[in-house]
Amino acid sequence: MTIIIAVTLFLAAVITFGLVMKKFRDSGIKVPQAPVAPPAPVKSPEEEFTEILDVLLKLNLMIRKDRDVSEEMILKIEEIIDDLKTIIPAMMERYPGESLTYEIKKIGLSHLYKTVKEFLDLSGESREKQLDNFKTTIQSLQDVTHRSRDIIESNETAEFKTMAHFLAGKFS
C-alpha cells in the first residue's frame, strides 16, 4: 500500500511539473540566459603594430638596464627586435591573413619578451645553468626572423605555411 501511495505521489509530481513547464512555454516566459559577451574590438593594423613596438621597446630597455646580460646577447636580441620592426609591417600589409604573419606578430608581441623576461628573472646561479638554453632559443628566434625577412624579400608565399607550422609547434 505504501508503494502505491509513493508511486501515485511521484506521478502526480511529474505531471504537475510537466503542466507547469508547458504553461511557461505557452506564456512565453523564458529562462534567463547568460549575457553574451560582446566580441573583442578588432584592432587596426596600426594599433596592433604600435602595441608590438611598445613591447619591443620595453624589452630593449629591460635588457639594457640589466648589467648581467652580455653585450653579445644584447646585440642578438636587438637584431631580432630590428628584424621584427622591419618584417611585421610588411607582412601585415602584404599578407594580412596568413598564418606566418600571425606567428611573427606573436613572437613580437609575446614570445620574445616572455623568453627574455623569464631568463632575466632568474638568479645569477640559475642564469648560468640556463644560459645555453637561452642562447639556443635566442638563436632560433634570430634564425626565424632572418628567414622571414628572406621570405618577404623573395615573395616566397609557398614557404608561408611550412614556416608557420614550424613556428606554431616550436614557440606556442
Side-chain angles (χ1 to χ4, degrees):
M1 183 73 177
T2 322
I3 294 176
I4 295 173
I5 293 172
V7 169
T8 305
L9 289 173
F10 177 73
L11 287 174
V14 169
I15 292 171
T16 304
F17 179 74
L19 291 172
V20 168
M21 292 306 293
K22 183 175 179 359
K23 184 176 180 179
F24 279 149
R25 271 185 265 142
D26 291 344
S27 66
I29 298 175
K30 305 265 185 221
V31 177
Q33 297 179 356
V36 177
V42 179
K43 296 178 185 172
S44 71
E46 293 80 19
E47 291 171 327
E48 203 171 6
F49 185 57
T50 300
E51 184 179 355
I52 293 169
L53 286 177
D54 289 343
V55 170
L56 294 176
L57 176 62
K58 192 162 50 168
L59 172 64
N60 199 359
L61 291 171
M62 186 173 34
I63 62 173
R64 286 288 177 176
K65 287 180 181 178
D66 193 306
R67 294 180 180 161
D68 296 330
V69 179
S70 70
E71 188 65 31
E72 171 196 5
M73 291 310 298
I74 289 173
L75 293 175
K76 280 188 178 228
I77 294 168
E78 286 182 342
E79 188 175 334
I80 295 169
I81 291 170
D82 290 342
D83 283 345
L84 290 171
K85 286 182 352 187
T86 303
I87 62 176
I88 289 174
M91 292 184 81
M92 289 172 72
E93 181 182 318
R94 287 193 229 163
Y95 317 107
E98 292 290 335
S99 52
L100 180 57
T101 303
Y102 172 77
E103 293 296 332
I104 295 295
K105 287 190 309 188
K106 273 185 17 181
I107 288 172
L109 193 58
S110 63
H111 293 318
L112 179 60
Y113 183 85
K114 180 182 173 192
T115 300
V116 174
K117 174 110 173 79
E118 286 175 354
F119 180 75
L120 295 181
D121 286 345
L122 295 173
S123 67
E125 184 179 311
S126 296
R127 279 188 189 185
E128 288 178 28
K129 291 178 184 175
Q130 295 297 321
L131 184 60
D132 289 336
N133 289 339
F134 179 67
K135 284 182 177 182
T136 302
T137 303
I138 294 299
Q139 185 61 50
S140 294
L141 287 168
Q142 190 176 30
D143 294 344
V144 164
T145 58
H146 284 307
R147 181 65 186 127
S148 297
R149 186 171 356 124
D150 293 344
I151 287 172
I152 290 171
E153 289 172 358
S154 307
N155 201 22
E156 298 176 36
T157 54
E159 196 70 25
F160 270 44
K161 292 207 184 322
T162 306
M163 187 72 165
H165 288 299
F166 169 75
L167 292 177
K170 184 157 183 112
F171 297 110
S172 293

